[in-house]
Coordinates of all heavy atoms in Angstrom, one line a residue:
I1 N -5.8 4.1 -4.3 CA -5.9 5.6 -4.3 C -5.1 6.0 -5.5 O -5.4 6.9 -6.4 CB -5.6 6.2 -3.0 CG1 -6.7 6.0 -2.0 CG2 -5.4 7.7 -3.2 CD1 -6.3 6.4 -0.6
Y2 N -3.8 5.6 -5.6 CA -2.8 6.1 -6.6 C -3.2 5.6 -8.0 O -3.5 6.4 -8.9 CB -1.5 5.7 -6.1 CG -0.4 6.4 -7.1 CD1 -0.2 7.7 -7.0 CD2 0.2 5.5 -8.1 CE1 0.7 8.3 -8.0 CE2 1.2 6.1 -8.8 CZ 1.4 7.6 -8.8 OH 2.3 8.0 -9.7
Y3 N -3.1 4.2 -8.1 CA -3.2 3.7 -9.5 C -4.6 3.7 -10.1 O -4.8 4.3 -11.2 CB -2.7 2.2 -9.4 CG -1.1 2.2 -9.2 CD1 -0.6 1.7 -8.1 CD2 -0.3 2.8 -10.2 CE1 0.7 1.6 -7.9 CE2 1.1 2.8 -9.9 CZ 1.5 2.1 -8.8 OH 2.9 2.2 -8.5
A4 N -5.6 3.3 -9.3 CA -7.1 3.2 -9.9 C -7.5 4.7 -9.9 O -8.2 5.1 -10.8 CB -7.9 2.4 -8.9
G5 N -7.2 5.6 -8.9 CA -7.6 6.9 -9.0 C -7.0 7.6 -10.1 O -7.7 8.4 -10.8
N6 N -5.8 7.5 -10.5 CA -5.1 8.1 -11.7 C -5.8 7.6 -12.9 O -5.9 8.4 -13.8 CB -3.7 8.1 -11.6 CG -3.0 9.0 -10.7 OD1 -3.5 10.0 -10.3 ND2 -1.9 8.5 -10.2
W7 N -6.0 6.3 -13.0 CA -6.5 5.7 -14.2 C -7.9 6.3 -14.5 O -8.3 6.6 -15.6 CB -6.7 4.2 -14.1 CG -7.1 3.5 -15.3 CD1 -6.7 3.4 -16.5 CD2 -8.4 2.9 -15.3 NE1 -7.4 2.7 -17.3 CE2 -8.7 2.4 -16.7 CE3 -9.5 2.8 -14.4 CZ2 -9.7 1.7 -17.1 CZ3 -10.6 2.1 -14.8 CH2 -10.8 1.6 -16.2
L8 N -8.8 6.3 -13.4 CA -10.2 6.8 -13.5 C -10.2 8.3 -13.8 O -11.0 8.8 -14.7 CB -11.0 6.6 -12.3 CG -11.2 5.1 -12.1 CD1 -12.0 4.9 -10.7 CD2 -12.3 4.5 -13.1
A9 N -9.3 9.1 -13.2 CA -9.1 10.5 -13.3 C -8.7 10.9 -14.8 O -9.0 11.9 -15.2 CB -8.2 11.0 -12.4
A10 N -8.0 9.9 -15.4 CA -7.4 10.1 -16.8 C -8.7 10.4 -17.8 O -8.5 11.0 -18.8 CB -6.5 9.1 -17.4
F11 N -9.9 9.9 -17.5 CA -11.0 10.0 -18.2 C -11.7 11.4 -18.1 O -12.6 11.6 -18.9 CB -12.1 8.9 -18.0 CG -11.5 7.5 -18.3 CD1 -11.2 6.7 -17.4 CD2 -11.5 7.2 -19.7 CE1 -10.7 5.4 -17.8 CE2 -11.0 5.9 -20.0 CZ -10.6 4.9 -19.1
I12 N -11.3 12.1 -17.1 CA -11.9 13.4 -16.8 C -10.9 14.5 -17.4 O -9.8 14.6 -17.1 CB -12.1 13.7 -15.4 CG1 -13.0 12.6 -14.7 CG2 -12.7 15.0 -15.0 CD1 -13.1 12.6 -13.2
D13 N -11.5 15.3 -18.3 CA -10.7 16.4 -18.9 C -10.5 17.6 -18.2 O -9.5 18.3 -18.2 CB -11.3 16.7 -20.3 CG -11.2 15.6 -21.3 OD1 -10.3 14.8 -21.2 OD2 -12.2 15.4 -22.1
H14 N -11.5 18.1 -17.3 CA -11.5 19.3 -16.7 C -10.8 19.2 -15.5 O -11.0 18.2 -14.6 CB -12.9 19.7 -16.3 CG -13.1 21.2 -16.0 ND1 -13.0 21.6 -14.7 CD2 -13.2 22.2 -16.8 CE1 -13.2 22.9 -14.7 NE2 -13.3 23.3 -15.9
E15 N -9.7 20.0 -15.2 CA -8.9 19.8 -14.0 C -9.6 20.0 -12.7 O -9.2 19.3 -11.7 CB -7.7 20.8 -14.2 CG -6.7 20.6 -15.2 CD -6.0 19.2 -15.0 OE1 -5.6 18.9 -13.8 OE2 -5.8 18.4 -15.9
T16 N -10.5 20.9 -12.6 CA -11.3 21.1 -11.3 C -12.0 19.8 -11.0 O -12.1 19.4 -9.8 CB -12.2 22.3 -11.4 OG1 -11.4 23.5 -11.8 CG2 -12.8 22.6 -10.2
L17 N -12.7 19.3 -11.9 CA -13.5 18.0 -11.7 C -12.6 16.9 -11.3 O -12.9 16.1 -10.6 CB -14.4 17.7 -12.9 CG -15.5 18.7 -13.3 CD1 -16.1 18.3 -14.6 CD2 -16.5 18.7 -12.1
K18 N -11.4 16.9 -12.0 CA -10.5 15.9 -11.7 C -10.0 15.9 -10.2 O -9.8 14.9 -9.6 CB -9.2 15.9 -12.7 CG -8.3 14.8 -12.6 CD -7.1 15.0 -13.6 CE -7.6 14.7 -15.1 NZ -6.5 14.6 -16.0
F19 N -9.6 17.1 -9.8 CA -9.3 17.3 -8.5 C -10.4 16.9 -7.5 O -10.0 16.2 -6.4 CB -9.0 18.8 -8.2 CG -8.4 19.1 -6.9 CD1 -7.3 18.7 -6.3 CD2 -9.3 19.8 -6.0 CE1 -6.8 18.9 -5.0 CE2 -8.9 20.1 -4.7 CZ -7.7 19.8 -4.2
A20 N -11.6 17.3 -7.8 CA -12.7 16.9 -6.9 C -13.0 15.4 -6.9 O -13.2 14.9 -5.9 CB -14.1 17.6 -7.4
F21 N -12.8 14.8 -8.1 CA -12.9 13.3 -8.2 C -11.9 12.7 -7.3 O -12.1 11.7 -6.6 CB -12.7 12.8 -9.5 CG -12.5 11.4 -9.7 CD1 -13.6 10.5 -9.5 CD2 -11.2 10.8 -9.9 CE1 -13.5 9.1 -9.5 CE2 -11.1 9.4 -10.0 CZ -12.2 8.6 -9.7
R22 N -10.7 13.2 -7.3 CA -9.5 12.5 -6.5 C -9.8 12.7 -5.0 O -9.5 11.7 -4.3 CB -8.2 13.2 -6.9 CG -7.7 12.7 -8.2 CD -6.4 13.3 -8.5 NE -5.8 12.8 -9.7 CZ -5.0 13.3 -10.6 NH1 -4.5 14.5 -10.3 NH2 -4.6 12.7 -11.7
I23 N -10.4 13.7 -4.6 CA -10.6 13.8 -3.2 C -11.9 12.9 -2.9 O -11.7 12.2 -1.7 CB -11.1 15.5 -2.9 CG1 -9.8 16.2 -2.9 CG2 -11.7 15.5 -1.4 CD1 -10.1 17.7 -2.8
I24 N -12.9 12.9 -3.7 CA -14.0 11.9 -3.3 C -13.5 10.5 -3.4 O -13.8 9.8 -2.6 CB -15.1 12.3 -4.3 CG1 -15.7 13.6 -4.1 CG2 -16.2 11.2 -4.3 CD1 -16.6 14.0 -5.1
W25 N -12.7 10.1 -4.3 CA -12.1 8.7 -4.4 C -11.3 8.5 -3.2 O -11.6 7.3 -2.7 CB -11.3 8.7 -5.8 CG -10.7 7.3 -5.9 CD1 -9.3 7.0 -5.7 CD2 -11.4 6.1 -6.4 NE1 -9.3 5.7 -6.0 CE2 -10.4 5.1 -6.4 CE3 -12.8 5.8 -6.6 CZ2 -10.8 3.9 -6.7 CZ3 -13.1 4.5 -6.9 CH2 -12.1 3.5 -7.0
T26 N -10.5 9.3 -2.8 CA -9.7 9.1 -1.6 C -10.6 8.9 -0.4 O -10.4 8.0 0.4 CB -8.7 10.2 -1.3 OG1 -7.9 10.5 -2.5 CG2 -7.8 10.1 -0.1

């Protein structure tokens, strides 16, 4: 959740989409 999620979220520029991705990833 922490490392892979942050690595994948780094490719997303929009903060709202990044937040949604982290919730879905978790």
Side-chain angles (χ1 to χ4, degrees):
I1 288 170
Y2 183 74
Y3 292 112
N6 282 338
W7 179 73
L8 291 170
F11 295 108
I12 302 172
D13 292 330
H14 197 270
E15 288 299 318
T16 305
L17 291 176
K18 190 180 285 192
F19 179 72
F21 167 77
R22 286 183 175 154
I23 291 174
I24 293 168
W25 180 253
T26 302

